[in-house]
Amino acid sequence: LALIGISLILTSWIFNKYEFLLYYPVAVSSILFIVFSYSLKQSQTIIERLARLSDPNLPRSAIIYTKRVTKIWCLFFIINGIIALSTCLIGDVKLWTLYNGAISYVLMGLLMLIEWLFRQKLIKQDIKQEVIKKA
């Protein structure tokens, strides 16, 4: 991501046009989509790898869940990238700033919050099922 940022800075400087810098959010969404979607083809998704940092012994249900969450993030990066690209092509800096400087971060935060809430609910259900199995 840093190399892409530097490339956009250099391109903007060489051509003396700041507009190239506006494509940074598009590049970030594209790269994150590539990383997340590529991880779907690996033995562990990027979300599963992150989850294993706190719990190395994930149950099968958690592995399935992390794969679904990875797919949701891929969809988010596609939609976010399309909207970010649209703001670049429209050429309205105020609109670009509003979406890429605020709205996209709010949407990302909402997705994180919804995923966290849903995960807490699943964890409670798993704990409840474990108690029932032991009883």
Side-chain angles (χ1 to χ4, degrees), residues 19-26 81-92 95-96 100:
E19 288 86 2
F20 290 108
L21 296 173
L22 300 178
Y23 288 88
Y24 186 71
V26 179
I82 290 170
I83 296 171
L85 178 61
S86 298
T87 64
C88 293
L89 297 175
I90 291 170
D92 182 348
L95 176 64
W96 183 93
N100 295 292

Side-chain angles (χ1 to χ4, degrees), residues 51-106:
R52 286 185 183 277
L53 292 175
S54 61
D55 183 5
N57 300 316
L58 288 177
R60 179 83 180 125
S61 61
I63 294 169
I64 293 168
Y65 175 75
T66 58
K67 187 166 243 171
R68 287 183 183 149
V69 171
T70 302
K71 289 176 183 177
I72 291 169
W73 276 105
C74 286
L75 181 61
F76 173 82
F77 293 131
I78 289 170
I79 294 169
N80 190 59
I82 290 170
I83 296 171
L85 178 61
S86 298
T87 64
C88 293
L89 297 175
I90 291 170
D92 182 348
V93 176
K94 288 181 182 178
L95 176 64
W96 183 93
T97 303
L98 176 64
Y99 182 76
N100 295 292
I103 294 172
S104 67
Y105 289 103
V106 169

